[in-house]
Amino acid sequence: MSRLEVLKGLESTLQGFLARAVEAEEERIDAFRCIDKLDGIARDSLRGRLVSARLGSWFSQNTNRLETDRFSKSEVTSIANLLGDIRSGLDDSDPESHKLAREIERWRGKGVVPKRKLVLKLKPRSAERDLLGLLTGFLTRGVEHLESGEFEGRHLLSILDDVLKSAAAKEDKMYIHLAGAMIYFLKMNGYKIGPFVRRLREIENERFGHINAE
């Protein structure tokens, strides 16, 4: 094989690789837009707004993606949790809402099932109050608070609002720690958290005085 033929072969291989990479990136971006649109529907649903038409359109646009198994595991989990939020607000007595609820159940039958539970198992610790012990204590009690059943079916933004109210009203520092963790999690997932950050800083300043960030 001549050098020219080798170069042409490499060029063809590179072109094929780039085409597949572009296709994969477009698929990922489409999935992100799909989940972002569903997130908007879920937030409006939790605010009591009518979302039946938008949700029906979302299902029609993404059913083929589900049937052809084009969602990743993490995308399926995100969609399942959002559909769970929406399902909790649907009125089964309304025919259109009942139809959409049945579609949500059909997606669950395809494996789109909410996965919210988080269980932390800690090894027995000594009586020494070290920093790691304090941290794991905050984490454990924070998880127990979120899993108490009080927030079942509510959106994370609504839950954060309640946690911030508790942080302002109660002496237990766990609520401040939990609010901070939730705000950082939302930031990592692209939510606008400016108002929540300001509220948390106000609570910290009220509780601890001015906090030097250095």
Side-chain angles (χ1 to χ4, degrees):
M1 182 179 294
S2 68
R3 182 178 180 183
L4 179 59
E5 289 174 331
V6 171
L7 290 174
K8 286 183 176 180
L10 291 174
E11 181 181 11
S12 176
T13 300
L14 179 59
Q15 288 176 341
F17 170 78
L18 291 175
R20 291 191 298 273
V22 169
E23 183 179 351
E25 183 65 12
E26 288 178 345
E27 183 77 9
R28 188 187 68 81
I29 292 173
D30 285 344
F32 176 80
R33 289 172 177 165
C34 153
I35 295 172
D36 187 60
K37 184 178 294 186
L38 185 62
D39 180 71
I41 294 172
R43 280 183 285 175
D44 285 345
S45 175
L46 291 168
R47 294 186 182 114
R49 298 174 183 172
L50 295 175
V51 298
S52 296
R54 291 162 60 197
L55 182 59
S57 175
W58 187 92
F59 276 132
S60 65
Q61 292 170 4
N62 293 284
T63 292
N64 181 259
R65 187 187 294 270
L66 173 70
E67 299 293 346
T68 54
D69 197 27
R70 287 157 53 200
F71 288 117
S72 68
K73 289 184 179 180
S74 62
E75 291 165 353
V76 167
T77 298
S78 296
I79 291 170
N81 288 340
L82 291 170
L83 289 178
D85 289 338
I86 296 171
R87 176 66 183 89
S88 66
L90 292 178
D91 180 6
D92 285 335
S93 64
D94 173 64
E96 184 64 24
S97 294
H98 181 68
K99 179 180 177 181
L100 292 170
R102 282 179 18 188
E103 181 65 9
I104 291 175
E105 293 304 317
R106 188 182 77 83
W107 278 55
R108 287 189 178 186
K110 295 284 188 177
V112 186
V113 181
K115 297 179 181 178
R116 297 189 181 279
K117 293 298 182 181
L118 174 63
V119 179
L120 297 180
K121 296 182 179 180
L122 303 177
K123 296 180 179 180
R125 303 197 57 80
S126 67
E128 182 183 359
R129 286 172 53 84
D130 62 328
L131 288 177
L132 181 58
L134 291 172
L135 173 61
T136 54
F138 275 136
L139 290 173
T140 301
R141 291 197 295 118
V143 171
E144 290 173 349
H145 181 64
L146 294 178
E147 292 188 336
S148 64
E150 177 183 352
F151 307 112
E152 189 67 26
R154 293 174 57 183
H155 193 274
L156 190 58
L157 291 173
S158 173
I159 299 173
L160 174 56
D161 182 65
D162 276 5
V163 172
L164 283 167
K165 290 176 181 177
S166 296
K170 300 181 180 181
E171 291 294 324
D172 193 341
K173 297 177 183 178
M174 181 274 292
Y175 294 101
I176 294 177
H177 183 273
L178 178 58
M182 294 173 69
I183 288 171
Y184 189 72
F185 175 82
L186 288 166
K187 178 183 178 181
M188 289 193 300
N189 284 275
Y191 284 79
K192 295 181 179 179
I193 44 84
F196 296 111
V197 172
R198 287 191 291 272
R199 285 176 62 186
L200 181 58
R201 285 176 177 170
E202 290 171 0
I203 294 168
E204 289 175 334
N205 288 337
E206 180 69 23
R207 184 71 57 83
F208 309 118
H210 179 70
I211 297 177
N212 191 338
E214 294 182 355

